[in-house]
Amino acid sequence: MKEWWRGGVIYQIYPRSYQDSNNDGIGDLAGITSRLEYISELGVDGIWISPIFTSPMKDMGYDVSDYRDIDPLFGDLKDFDRLVERAHSLGLKVMIDQVLSHSSDQHPFFQASKQDKQNDKADWYVWVDPLPNGAPPNNWLSIFEGVAWEWESRRKQYYQHNFLVSQPDFNFHNPEVREWLKENVKFWLDRGVDGFRLDTVNYYFHDPQLRDNPPRIYDKDNPPVNPYYMQDHVYSISQPENVDFVEELRELLDQYGKTAMIGEISNLDLMAEYTAGDNRLHLAYSFELLGPVFSASHIRKTIEHFFNIAPQGIPCWSFSNHDVIRHVSRWAAHGSSPEALAKQTAALLLSLEGSICLFQGEELGQLETEMEFSELTDPLGIRFWPENKGRDGCRTPMSWDSSLENAGFSEVDPWLPVKNPQLERAVEQQKNKDSVLSFYREMLKFRKNSSALSEGRTVFYDSDEPVLSFSRQSDDQNVVCVFNLSKEEVSLPIEGLKDINNHPLLEAKADGEVLSLGPNGFCFFFGDLDKDIVIQ
Ligand code: BGC
């Protein structure tokens, strides 16, 4: 039987915003547990829960101060065990985030490390002497705030932070650090989790020679909002040793049977390298479809390129997550109706080869929440406002029922507001069969029941923009998938077009061998396995 994660669909939960069970305005583990039935009825294979560990929450939990405990905001270890047990009883796998590249500056080990150069944690973080002129040792930048180096007056040295000043990077060149991190991972495996999403998986090691990163080529008339993107990070991250540590993690996971790791990686070549063979990552989480571009050529190029360089690798695609503008808002800029776009993108994402991550609320066609500066909590948005409004807009609470206070998320004011456009798309209000939510359920069922969609290979047709067309082929099935990515109607001749009218997921009309697709329309049909289909 194929492993659950191969071609599986994973539902990402942002715990602060899923369900508040104790009315403190912040979601928690007991809240998630109370909603697991809803998630299982969607038809996904598992959940990935963003960080729930003890943390000062400077980066909303991606700054861990105790790797083996639950932050009191979310509950405790007993709540976690109950969640895992309930999920398993519903047939859902449970994956949790592991933020290994850096800790919080409040972690006891960093607190010890920064005291002097002699303590037993002195070499656990990346400490370097200043240049003779007092400046940091090189040009490395942080993603969240200016240079990647922060001065510590006790040691009279700088420490490295790829993210916030309060997220010091571990020194992975120290074997004790690596062993200890693996022990932490083991702690959760022993508690029964089915796998991990590895945060910033290529950020573990740095170049010990501390060489300067070279400049990246960018449009000088339109420079990036964040200077981080003016550099090619060839020395600060993605070092060759990094993949060896991934192999060590894999060895550990393999002792636990049916577990899996999804690594967050920022480019296709690294995705291929990190999933090569069967001793590295099970799945590589891609950024390629999380950006502003929504075109047939971009999607085709991304997928074809990945499978060309990694024929056996397994990508994990997603259109939305807790770090980017929700895709319906991001891509509706092309003038499409949010409703049509939400259904079409569900159909598209769930027909891609590889595994899939859905982000909570996308099954409702949820839009990005428009935030005021005064409402922001995300350091990235606060730093780069107004050009980059940060990540709060995609992290606002889940809408359960628009007739209830705060859409049923909490009885008190939540940590981020629930505004009207989000309220209108609540779960309870989407009971009708034409809703986006019903469509996601249908589409998930369609994928699960189709050998081609869940495990078939992809063959693209040479259709022109705005049409994206490909077939997914398994040994016994050929599903042809055609999408009109624009808001204008298109018609196209298809040799071998089969009757599409009996398919429940139809947003299209067939007249002989001519297919018409309305604004953001799409269709699937079953092709003959031994007869060519021609789409132009
Ligand atoms: C997470 C972000 C986080 C960063 C630092 C990521 O890629 O997805 O939410 O801010 O890592 O841990």
Side-chain angles (χ1 to χ4, degrees):
M1 217 183 90
K2 86 173 167 76
E3 298 98 328
W4 64 272
W5 44 268
R6 232 175 242 281
V9 181
I10 298 153
Y11 182 82
Q12 183 194 350
I13 296 177
Y14 196 67
R16 296 179 74 88
S17 290
Y18 208 60
Q19 176 69 66
D20 177 14
S21 74
N22 61 351
N23 289 320
D24 61 357
I26 297 179
D28 45 49
L29 293 178
I32 296 173
T33 306
S34 71
R35 296 293 185 181
L36 286 173
E37 212 164 317
Y38 163 80
I39 297 171
S40 114
E41 280 168 7
L42 275 178
V44 298
D45 299 286
I47 55 175
W48 143 33
I49 313 177
S50 281
I52 44 180
F53 318 104
T54 317
S55 164
M57 301 287 165
K58 294 279 166 35
D59 187 21
M60 301 307 160
Y62 283 93
D63 48 330
V64 179
S65 56
D66 185 344
Y67 282 81
R68 300 189 194 187
D69 208 351
I70 303 292
D71 193 279
L73 276 180
F74 298 129
D76 58 23
L77 284 166
K78 284 206 189 76
D79 293 316
F80 181 76
D81 292 341
R82 274 192 284 270
L83 186 158
V84 174
E85 200 188 317
R86 178 75 183 126
H88 285 167
S89 75
L90 290 165
L92 290 169
K93 303 290 180 186
V94 179
M95 302 184 102
I96 55 172
D97 236 294
Q98 288 289 282
V99 190
L100 307 183
S101 76
H102 49 270
S103 72
S104 155
D105 63 348
Q106 299 308 305
H107 194 287
F109 292 175
F110 184 75
Q111 290 295 314
S113 191
K114 73 177 192 183
Q115 297 304 324
D116 52 47
K117 295 179 188 169
Q118 284 78 41
N119 68 80
D120 70 343
K121 294 292 177 286
D123 189 35
W124 276 52
Y125 292 84
V126 183
W127 292 103
V128 295
D129 290 331
L131 295 177
N133 64 7
N138 60 26
N139 70 353
W140 296 354
L141 294 174
S142 137
I143 300 186
F144 287 168
E145 38 191 1
V147 299
W149 299 103
E150 181 69 6
W151 183 249
E152 169 52 56
S153 52
R154 271 160 284 203
R155 291 182 58 137
K156 303 182 183 60
Q157 280 187 311
Y158 287 100
Y159 66 85
Q160 188 198 1
H161 60 94
N162 274 299
F163 296 91
L164 293 172
V165 166
S166 56
Q167 291 169 300
D169 286 315
F170 279 116
N171 176 16
F172 272 75
H173 293 284
N174 178 344
E176 280 179 33
V177 171
R178 302 199 299 270
E179 283 313 306
W180 177 76
L181 286 168
K182 281 194 289 178
E183 284 301 311
N184 292 335
V185 171
K186 188 170 178 321
F187 173 86
W188 295 102
L189 286 166
D190 289 336
R191 270 204 122 79
V193 302
D194 303 286
F196 304 100
R197 179 264 190 185
L198 298 176
D199 189 59
T200 58
V201 70
N202 55 319
Y203 280 61
Y204 296 159
F205 285 80
H206 65 284
D207 171 34
Q209 295 178 54
L210 302 172
R211 283 169 280 189
D212 273 350
N213 283 329
R216 177 186 279 180
I217 296 163
Y218 60 88
D219 176 2
K220 297 283 183 298
D221 295 331
N222 188 18
V225 167
N226 183 343
Y228 186 78
Y229 300 103
M230 298 179 187
Q231 264 184 16
D232 225 350
H233 307 104
V234 291
Y235 294 118
S236 47
I237 58 173
S238 310
Q239 296 304 289
E241 302 90 331
N242 205 111
V243 78
D244 301 338
F245 182 65
V246 170
E247 289 178 3
E248 288 178 37
L249 286 173
R250 176 65 181 254
E251 231 175 275
L252 171 63
L253 261 80
D254 282 348
Q255 295 166 21
Y256 286 80
K258 298 175 182 133
T259 53
M261 314 186 276
I262 307 182
E264 183 199 24
I265 312 192
S266 49
N267 79 56
L268 290 170
D269 295 327
L270 282 179
M271 282 170 66
E273 184 188 342
Y274 280 50
T275 51
D278 56 7
N279 62 341
R280 297 180 177 174
L281 293 178
H282 303 76
L283 300 166
Y285 184 90
S286 172
F287 281 62
E288 305 295 320
L289 306 178
L290 291 168
V293 184
F294 184 56
S295 72
S297 60
H298 175 64
I299 296 169
R300 175 176 177 171
K301 209 168 63 204
T302 298
I303 292 167
E304 270 185 340
H305 184 60
F306 177 80
F307 288 113
N308 278 340
I309 56 176
Q312 305 308 322
I314 308 191
C316 180
W317 307 112
S318 59
F319 289 167
S320 283
N321 71 18
H322 65 295
D323 288 332
V324 297
I325 297 174
R326 283 187 178 273
H327 69 266
V328 175
S329 301
R330 207 165 74 226
W331 292 333
H334 299 263
S336 298
S337 109
E339 183 88 0
L341 193 58
K343 288 184 183 169
Q344 176 182 62
T345 48
L348 172 57
L349 182 58
L350 291 165
S351 55
L352 295 183
E353 180 178 348
S355 300
I356 304 298
C357 274
L358 302 178
F359 179 49
Q360 67 177 54
E362 86 168 73
E363 76 278 19
L364 307 174
Q366 209 48 284
L367 302 172
E368 183 81 355
T369 302
E370 285 295 330
M371 304 297 293
E372 304 292 330
F373 183 75
S374 59
E375 294 168 326
L376 296 192
T377 67
D378 178 22
L380 189 69
I382 294 170
R383 183 73 177 76
F384 291 103
W385 182 275
E387 273 73 16
N388 178 342
K389 295 186 172 162
R391 302 168 294 178
D392 290 301
C394 64
R395 297 175 175 181
T396 51
M398 186 71 182
S399 295
W400 296 104
D401 184 343
S402 61
S403 68
L404 300 175
E405 189 96 359
N406 302 309
F409 167 73
S410 176
E411 285 169 23
V412 302
D413 280 350
W415 72 288
L416 287 176
V418 181
K419 299 191 179 180
N420 279 338
Q422 284 67 38
L423 202 68
E424 285 163 11
R425 291 177 162 76
V427 172
E428 277 303 304
Q429 281 59 48
Q430 297 209 28
K431 288 211 157 129
N432 56 320
K433 68 176 187 1
D434 298 333
S435 69
V436 173
L437 177 57
S438 303
F439 183 74
Y440 265 84
R441 291 197 179 111
E442 255 332 286
M443 193 59 218
L444 279 155
K445 212 180 292 160
F446 183 42
R447 178 180 173 94
K448 184 158 265 171
N449 294 335
S450 155
S451 62
L453 286 194
S454 53
E455 57 191 272
R457 302 300 325 214
T458 311
V459 180
F460 284 93
Y461 298 109
D462 289 327
S463 43
D464 294 329
E465 294 290 351
V467 175
L468 175 69
S469 55
F470 54 86
S471 74
R472 298 286 314 279
Q473 302 176 357
S474 61
D475 289 345
D476 59 351
Q477 208 179 49
N478 178 13
V479 176
V480 181
C481 316
V482 192
F483 304 89
N484 165 16
L485 301 188
S486 79
K487 63 181 194 324
E488 320 299 343
E489 182 165 331
V490 295
S491 294
L492 61 159
I494 300 186
E495 254 174 64
L497 177 62
K498 294 277 274 301
D499 182 17
I500 59 170
N501 292 313
N502 49 17
H503 200 280
L505 300 171
L506 186 73
E507 292 285 338
K509 279 196 300 276
D511 184 2
E513 290 203 326
V514 175
L515 177 71
S516 302
L517 298 171
N520 292 99
F522 53 92
C523 105
F524 298 98
F525 61 92
F526 294 96
D528 283 334
L529 279 167
D530 47 5
K531 201 171 143 223
D532 280 350
I533 304 224
V534 182
I535 302 182
Q536 273 140 15

